[in-house]
Amino acid sequence: MADQHTNDKVLEGLSDSQRQSLHEFSQVTNANLELAVRVLASRQWNTQQAIQMYYEPGYADALQKTDDAQEAEKDVSEGLRRRGVEASGSGRDTQSNVRGAESSGHNAEGGSRRKPEDSASRRPQFAITPLLVWPFVLMLRLAMLAASTLLRILGIQRIASSGVPNQTTITNDFEHYFEAHYGLEHPPFFHGTLADARTAALRDQKYIVMVLWSKEHDDADVFGRALAHPDVVACLTQPQFIVWADDLTQLDAYAAASDSGATHFPSISVLGPRAASAGLPTRLELVARMRNGPQTANAMAQSLVSFVTRVVASRDSMTRAMQREQDERDAERRLRAQQNAAYEASLARDQERDREQREQSARAREQEIKAREEEIKAKEEQDAEERRRREEQAVDEQRTQWRWAKLAQIHKENATELASADAAKLSLRLENGRRIVHSFARDSTMQRVFDFVETRDVADEWATKGVTPYGSDLAQITAPAGYTHTYEFALVSQFPRVVFDDRRATLHNALSACGLWPSAVLIAEPLFEPED
């Protein structure tokens, strides 16, 4: 319970990213939480750097000792400060001697009351801190010296001075070394770090066959020939195995040897998934390590095959159960993914349908507005046409009334024209091709001739029916008020070509000017082209 409470307390102040880094660090190193947090914090929570520094010899111990030294120094300083304050009264003479000439002429009690902080603060700086720290510094230096010596003995001083090389390159180098000494037939070595192999094994529920090589060991040659044996290659090529191999001169292999507790090399160990407890992730554990002994390559190959087969068989039921759980989790994950995909597809269809409905509604509104505008425009055009028709009808009615009034005026003037001896005889050809011969008085104007031609239609109707649209009394018809008549023809003489457009001129003057008096042929020519 106390350990659980401590772990919970350590995890309380961590963010999600820090907890993820702590989880990855713990999976690789199997370090306790407090040490893992200190190592990660010292490397600014960079997981790769923290793992590398954790496997640096003496780093974790030095980190622990530095923390302990800081705590011890703080406790001692606090204790000295308290003792200095308590002893301020009893040590007045000693304080006066230390101050020397500065305190001359004053009593010891006054000096003590004047500067108690100076005496208390000077005393720890004198010799206490170095005396407390130097054992730890000495131990740290000894540890570093031992680690450096060990690295030099193992031949990996290059790593300590130049850093950790790329692990894929290291694995490829080992594979090239193995092929150069034992042939191309060998188990499929994993290319990557041990942490990468662990991740792949956890993801695919596989076993890691970890081979820790040592070139300097006497059994290395026998072990290499056994590892290249066809039976071993056939056994370790099975898909349930990940074969990770490296030389002890490399940092990753050295750290793996330290974690697994291997003491005899070359060494082969099997790592397998451990059943996860409730709420905890699946991790890898050391299942078994093969005990090496003096034997031939063939015998070692048979022992290796038997060892791996036996280990797998002993965990077969648990492995199948874990695989079933993994399959169930994968199936659940796939189901969730399918449900999410179906939901997203349904959501996309609904959104597309809503978009189409909005576009259709917008188009319907646009069409409705357009139809309303066209209806309004058509109504306006219809109203305008109706007004124009009514105006034309009114103008036609006024023109017709004007013609009947002019006809009545012409009938009154005909008697005078017929009685006049000096009259002009005109042959008139109308627009419809009809010819009319009529006599006009000498003093008649050209307006009189225009009015005569304009009233021929209503004159024919009067001659035929004897009635008008305004009654049977022709003399009672008057011209409409405010109406100004427009003549749509001109009177023209062909020989010579003369256009008579001055309607105020007398007939005698107009015809005499062109030598046509007292008789002439005049043609009524339309002023406008007739509409189709």
Side-chain angles (χ1 to χ4, degrees):
M1 293 297 292
D3 293 341
Q4 182 64 30
H5 178 70
T6 302
N7 293 341
D8 294 341
K9 186 175 180 181
V10 170
L11 295 173
E12 281 180 359
L14 300 182
S15 63
D16 292 340
S17 61
Q18 290 174 342
R19 292 192 181 193
Q20 180 65 26
S21 299
L22 179 61
H23 174 68
E24 295 175 358
F25 183 87
S26 299
Q27 273 196 325
V28 176
T29 62
N30 290 325
N32 61 73
L33 285 179
E34 294 183 0
L35 180 58
V37 169
R38 281 199 294 272
V39 175
L40 284 167
S42 69
R43 308 312 300 175
Q44 288 74 42
W45 293 91
N46 186 310
T47 307
Q48 294 295 331
Q49 293 183 8
I51 292 174
Q52 293 178 5
M53 295 308 298
Y54 176 80
Y55 287 117
E56 287 289 340
Y59 180 79
D61 296 337
L63 187 65
Q64 178 69 38
K65 292 173 182 179
T66 303
D67 292 342
D68 294 342
Q70 291 176 352
E71 292 293 334
E73 182 179 353
K74 184 189 296 185
D75 294 341
V76 171
S77 298
E78 182 67 21
L80 289 174
R81 187 185 64 80
R82 288 197 300 269
R83 287 200 299 272
V85 172
E86 293 173 357
S88 60
S90 61
R92 288 194 302 270
D93 295 338
T94 303
Q95 293 173 6
S96 178
N97 293 333
V98 171
R99 288 192 295 269
E102 182 182 357
S103 62
S104 61
H106 301 278
N107 58 49
E109 184 178 357
S112 175
R113 287 195 305 268
R114 191 164 54 246
K115 292 185 178 180
E117 296 86 352
D118 292 346
S119 60
S121 61
R122 291 171 182 167
R123 191 168 297 156
Q125 296 177 356
F126 176 71
I128 294 300
T129 301
L131 289 176
L132 291 174
V133 173
W134 79 266
F136 300 103
V137 174
L138 179 59
M139 294 176 63
L140 177 60
R141 290 181 177 177
L142 291 176
M144 293 177 64
L145 179 60
S148 178
T149 304
L150 180 60
L151 290 175
R152 191 177 295 109
I153 293 174
L154 293 177
I156 56 174
Q157 183 66 32
R158 172 177 55 86
I159 297 177
S161 60
S162 61
V164 180
N166 183 278
Q167 185 61 36
T168 303
T169 304
I170 295 173
T171 307
N172 290 337
D173 291 343
F174 173 77
E175 186 172 357
H176 293 159
Y177 165 81
F178 192 90
E179 290 176 352
H181 288 76
Y182 305 104
L184 300 178
E185 296 295 330
H186 58 76
F189 296 126
F190 182 83
H191 292 177
T193 64
L194 182 58
D196 296 336
R198 286 175 175 269
T199 302
L202 288 174
R203 182 187 64 238
D204 301 331
Q205 294 293 313
K206 294 184 177 182
Y207 292 96
I208 296 180
V209 178
M210 183 174 65
V211 179
L212 300 178
W213 190 262
S214 178
K215 300 176 184 178
E216 291 80 10
H217 200 277
D218 296 338
D219 295 335
D221 184 65
V222 176
F223 193 87
R225 287 187 285 110
L227 201 59
H229 193 277
D231 294 343
V232 175
V233 174
C235 176
L236 298 183
T237 308
Q238 299 179 56
Q240 59 185 333
F241 296 117
I242 293 177
V243 181
W244 184 86
D246 205 353
D247 194 275
L248 282 175
T249 56
Q250 306 302 328
L251 183 59
D252 208 9
Y254 177 76
S258 300
D259 290 341
S260 63
T263 56
H264 296 82
F265 304 99
S267 170
I268 185 166
S269 305
V270 177
L271 306 179
R274 182 176 62 187
S277 303
L280 295 178
T282 304
R283 300 180 64 179
L284 290 177
E285 63 178 354
L286 179 63
V287 178
R289 183 185 302 109
M290 181 177 174
R291 302 296 181 180
N292 297 333
Q295 51 187 326
T296 62
N298 291 334
M300 183 175 291
Q302 298 302 320
S303 300
L304 178 56
V305 172
S306 176
F307 165 72
V308 173
T309 304
R310 186 173 61 256
V311 169
V312 173
S314 64
R315 297 172 60 90
D316 185 59
S317 59
M318 185 185 70
T319 303
R320 284 200 301 269
M322 294 175 62
Q323 186 63 45
R324 284 195 300 270
E325 293 178 0
Q326 183 65 32
D327 293 342
E328 292 175 359
R329 287 193 294 270
D330 293 342
E332 184 179 357
R333 190 182 306 109
R334 286 193 297 270
L335 178 60
R336 276 199 306 272
Q338 293 173 359
Q339 291 174 345
N340 292 337
Y343 170 75
E344 292 176 357
S346 176
L347 180 61
R349 287 194 298 270
D350 293 342
Q351 292 175 346
E352 180 66 18
R353 186 164 50 250
D354 293 342
R355 186 185 62 80
E356 292 178 354
Q357 290 177 354
R358 288 194 301 270
E359 292 180 354
Q360 185 176 1
S361 301
R363 287 195 297 269
R365 285 195 299 271
E366 292 177 358
Q367 293 175 357
E368 183 179 355
I369 293 173
K370 185 177 180 180
R372 190 181 299 113
E373 292 176 350
E374 291 177 353
E375 182 180 356
I376 293 174
K377 184 178 180 180
K379 185 68 169 56
E380 291 176 350
E381 292 177 352
Q382 183 178 359
D383 294 342
E385 180 66 21
E386 183 65 21
R387 285 194 301 271
R388 186 185 63 79
R389 188 185 62 78
R390 285 197 299 268
E391 291 174 357
E392 290 180 353
Q393 184 178 0
V395 171
D396 290 342
E397 290 175 356
Q398 288 179 337
R399 183 185 298 112
T400 301
Q401 185 179 351
W402 179 86
R403 285 174 177 171
W404 282 103
K406 281 295 180 182
L407 180 61
Q409 183 180 351
I410 290 172
H411 278 191
K412 291 178 183 179
E413 296 174 352
N414 275 345
T416 304
E417 292 176 348
L418 293 175
S420 175
D422 189 8
K425 188 177 181 179
L426 299 180
S427 176
L428 303 171
R429 191 175 71 180
L430 305 182
E431 295 180 50
N432 58 6
R434 179 185 173 187
R435 287 183 178 274
I436 299 175
V437 179
H438 190 74
S439 296
F440 294 90
R442 176 188 178 91
D443 57 351
S444 297
T445 62
M446 289 301 297
Q447 180 70 49
R448 175 79 174 80
V449 180
F450 272 85
D451 292 342
F452 181 82
V453 174
E454 185 70 30
T455 59
R456 287 311 86 198
D457 291 340
V458 295
D460 293 342
E461 185 178 350
W462 171 255
T464 303
K465 298 179 179 180
V467 294
T468 70
Y470 310 100
S472 59
D473 191 357
L474 181 63
Q476 298 298 323
I477 301 175
T478 60
Y483 175 76
T484 302
H485 186 72
T486 301
Y487 296 92
E488 298 179 353
F489 63 91
L491 292 177
V492 179
S493 172
Q494 291 288 1
F495 303 103
R497 174 72 180 179
V498 179
V499 178
F500 299 94
D501 52 2
D502 186 3
R503 293 193 296 271
R504 292 174 299 179
T506 62
L507 186 60
H508 176 268
N509 293 338
L511 294 178
S512 298
C514 56
L516 296 177
W517 179 265
S519 63
V521 177
L522 302 181
I523 301 173
E525 290 185 352
L527 296 177
F528 309 102
E529 292 292 336
E531 296 181 358
D532 295 337

